[in-house]
Amino acid sequence: MSQHSKAYHQPGRDIPLLGEWDVIVVGGGPSGCAAAIASARRGSKTLLVEKYCFLGGSPAAQFVCCILSTNGLDFQGIWHEWAARLAKYDAIAPLTRSPVRFYPQTQWFRSSPTPEGVKRVWEELVTESGAEILYLTALCGVCRDADSVTGVLVHTRAGVRALMAKRVIDASGDGVVCQEAGVAWNRGAKDKLWSQEVSMMYRRGGESAPGSEGAPPPGTGCTMAFLPERLNRVDRLRVDTLDPVALSATIGDMRREIWRQSDDYPDGTYLVDVATEIGVRTSRIVQGLEQIGEDQAWEFHKSPSGIARSSWELDIHPPDDAPIPERWFHSKSALYAERAARVQAGEYFDIPYRCLVPAGVDQLLVAGRIVSASYLAHGSLRIQQTCMATGEAAGTAAAMSIEAGLTPRELDPVRVASQVAEDRSKVGPAFEILRDLPLTK
Ligand SMILES: Cc1cc2nc3c(=O)[nH]c(=O)nc-3n(C[C@H](O)[C@H](O)[C@H](O)COP(=O)(O)OP(=O)(O)OC[C@H]3O[C@@H](n4cnc5c(N)ncnc54)[C@H](O)[C@@H]3O)c2cc1C
């Protein structure tokens, strides 16, 4: 197979309509679930579209079952409701704090949910909010009227269908709506087709599995909540995650490596399962009305329209064997250590509202790891808690813009920020250990 440079022209056709909503959210990961909940809670008729038959996104499909934070400021709003519900089902490990290998003066919060718990809790919270869920439905196009998105085209079990909406939120992790709508995006890494290392996670079980006692296994740092199972992973460099042919070859290669390794496991140790989907840290980063620059992230820029705070590491997993810049977490540099100490002391950078508003196309918002940011800022804000926070803000803004009869672009960014802060101030911390941290404005 090779990439085709030619195109197939599809003759005009009528596509059956499945329904109309106020807000459609594409992607049921951490950001999309939070967006759907926030939108529905404000009274908007909301639909959440998900290509798999479960919610959760990367923790459910890719086994990214690690909760990590540097100083706790990225635990916000709906995150606490989600974590508290997981705790009710014994599906999340206690939040603990411990030093980091590279930078011993820094301590991280760590926890881990189970994939099944994640699916269950999101489905409950989304349903309770009044939002509808459409499973096994993959976005394949957008409906447009001039510069505005008016709905989405999806592939369902019944074939292609049109879903109409006043607002659409792209929470797909890959910016698939923005791609179809013609919004500009980039891969973060300049002049490279690969943005970050890709990983295939798998679960290994049994009493003697590496890391089943004591220190976490190399390369993961996480255990499954309460289970005699460990998360492990194999990694690959120089992978273009937007090249379907190359990605498929990589997936097969990684899975074969995991299967081969499992042939040699010691007695009593076993391969539980390999994740449904390959773990892609970065694919598209969307161009918004505003962008968090490299310096803004490095220097902890604050904004009056900040709708989320990012205090996680500047965590870019090197995509190849080029020298690692000093400003990256993995550099082990003294410069980075100085910044890490400031984060430990409570520093963070803000994500301004207009980073969720794509440039050039109206009635569209983005949330999660695709929000408008430089490579460095993206390395930090892509963690799940922050994705939930941008999702919560996007859902709130979508509903507010309908109420006000304005486009998301026309909304007052400071009003959105203060509404989101007010909503979050009503939610108590999920874990006792976070109780004394300044989580809200
Ligand atoms: C290997 C790896 C390790 C990581 N480690 C951590 C960690 O330790 N801690 C942490 O917090 N974060 C970690 N992350 C980052 C984090 O998991 C992601 O950045 C985060 O989950 C992104 O959330 P999201 O909602 O933007 O997207 P996703 O979680 O990717 O969710 C997107 C959803 O959209 C759906 N979707 C995609 N395309 C379509 C379509 N065409 N139609 C319909 N639905 C669609 C997907 O099925 C998915 O449910 C890691 C990521 C990777 C890959």
Side-chain angles (χ1 to χ4, degrees):
M1 264 194 289
S2 66
Q3 294 278 45
H4 299 284
S5 54
K6 293 178 189 158
Y8 168 71
H9 174 70
Q10 188 179 34
R13 60 170 180 157
D14 288 336
I15 296 172
L17 218 68
L18 204 60
E20 294 178 39
W21 287 265
D22 292 327
V23 178
I24 290 181
V25 181
V26 176
S31 65
C33 291
I37 292 167
S39 158
R41 281 183 182 168
R42 284 193 74 86
S44 283
K45 186 183 176 208
T46 304
L47 178 72
L48 178 57
V49 170
E50 168 55 48
K51 70 179 177 187
Y52 293 129
C53 55
F54 52 82
L55 300 180
S58 70
Q62 302 167 12
F63 291 166
V64 178
C65 289
C66 307
I67 304 298
L68 296 167
S69 173
T70 315
N71 69 23
L73 278 158
D74 31 28
F75 296 128
Q76 295 169 84
I78 288 174
W79 187 88
H80 290 290
E81 298 179 53
W82 175 79
R85 186 71 66 94
L86 283 164
K88 180 180 143 190
Y89 296 132
D90 280 346
I92 190 166
L95 197 64
T96 57
R97 208 169 189 174
S98 55
V100 187
R101 199 158 32 106
F102 284 178
Y103 302 103
Q105 72 278 35
T106 304
Q107 297 198 335
W108 286 356
F109 286 108
R110 293 168 205 250
S111 179
S112 57
T114 63
E116 213 50 41
V118 168
K119 295 176 194 171
R120 176 180 185 181
V121 167
W122 278 131
E123 192 174 284
E124 284 183 5
L125 293 177
V126 170
T127 308
E128 287 165 17
S129 76
E132 297 167 67
I133 304 168
L134 204 55
Y135 284 128
L136 296 173
T137 301
L139 182 115
C140 59
V142 293
C143 311
R144 280 187 74 141
D145 181 5
D147 288 338
S148 294
V149 167
T150 55
V152 292
L153 300 179
V154 290
H155 191 269
T156 71
R157 283 287 173 94
V160 177
R161 293 290 182 271
L163 315 173
M164 308 312 288
K166 294 177 184 152
R167 306 287 180 273
V168 175
I169 300 176
D170 187 344
S172 63
D174 288 326
V176 292
V177 184
C178 290
Q179 157 73 10
E180 293 299 322
V183 177
W185 53 268
N186 66 76
R187 295 166 191 263
K190 284 194 188 72
D191 310 322
K192 286 182 182 176
L193 289 175
W194 31 87
S195 304
Q196 297 202 55
E197 164 193 75
V198 297
S199 303
M200 185 70 90
M201 308 281 284
Y202 61 99
R203 297 194 284 186
R204 183 170 161 171
E207 289 299 311
S208 56
S212 62
E213 291 166 23
T220 67
C222 278
T223 174
M224 306 297 293
F226 312 117
L227 298 175
E229 291 172 6
R230 281 281 174 181
L231 289 175
N232 289 269
R233 63 175 212 232
V234 296
D235 304 320
R236 291 290 184 273
L237 302 179
R238 306 172 86 85
V239 179
D240 176 358
T241 60
L242 295 172
D243 177 342
V245 178
L247 196 60
S248 296
T250 304
I251 290 166
D253 180 49
M254 293 168 103
R255 240 194 324 249
R256 282 192 296 275
E257 181 181 332
I258 295 167
W259 289 333
R260 260 196 319 270
Q261 285 177 7
S262 73
D263 292 339
D264 298 328
Y265 284 179
D267 286 351
T269 321
Y270 50 92
L271 178 63
V272 181
D273 48 6
V274 180
T276 304
E277 188 175 57
I278 187 172
V280 168
R281 293 179 174 82
T282 315
S283 51
R284 297 186 182 92
I285 303 176
V286 168
Q287 187 183 316
L289 297 181
E290 201 170 334
Q291 194 219 42
I292 310 162
E294 304 257 316
D295 289 344
Q296 285 170 303
W298 182 260
E299 289 157 13
F300 310 109
H301 185 75
K302 309 293 188 301
S303 163
S305 67
I307 47 78
R309 296 172 171 189
S310 193
S311 73
W312 176 238
E313 308 289 355
L314 301 171
D315 187 6
I316 298 173
H317 288 237
D320 52 32
D321 38 21
I324 301 173
E326 277 199 302
R327 283 181 166 193
W328 293 11
F329 167 69
H330 295 272
S331 63
K332 305 182 195 168
S333 73
L335 188 70
Y336 189 90
E338 273 173 36
R339 186 184 186 278
R342 289 183 61 191
V343 179
Q344 182 73 60
E347 270 292 14
Y348 63 91
F349 65 85
D350 267 333
I351 301 166
Y353 165 66
R354 282 154 53 93
C355 294
L356 314 187
V357 187
V361 178
D362 268 335
Q363 314 300 19
L364 181 61
L365 285 149
V366 298
R369 69 174 163 92
I370 61 172
V371 305
S372 180
S374 58
Y375 195 29
L376 206 63
H378 166 84
S380 175
L381 62 79
R382 68 186 177 83
I383 63 160
Q384 294 172 57
Q385 299 93 291
T386 315
C387 288
M388 287 181 214
T390 56
E392 183 175 1
T396 305
M400 283 175 75
S401 72
I402 294 172
E403 289 158 28
L406 299 169
T407 63
R409 181 168 46 86
E410 292 165 340
L411 267 187
D412 175 0
V414 179
R415 260 202 67 215
V416 178
S418 57
Q419 182 61 60
V420 171
E422 189 187 320
D423 295 343
R424 287 180 184 148
S425 68
K426 296 175 190 149
V427 185
F431 289 103
E432 212 43 53
I433 192 170
L434 294 171
R435 206 157 281 280
D436 296 329
L437 290 168
L439 295 173
T440 50
K441 285 186 186 175

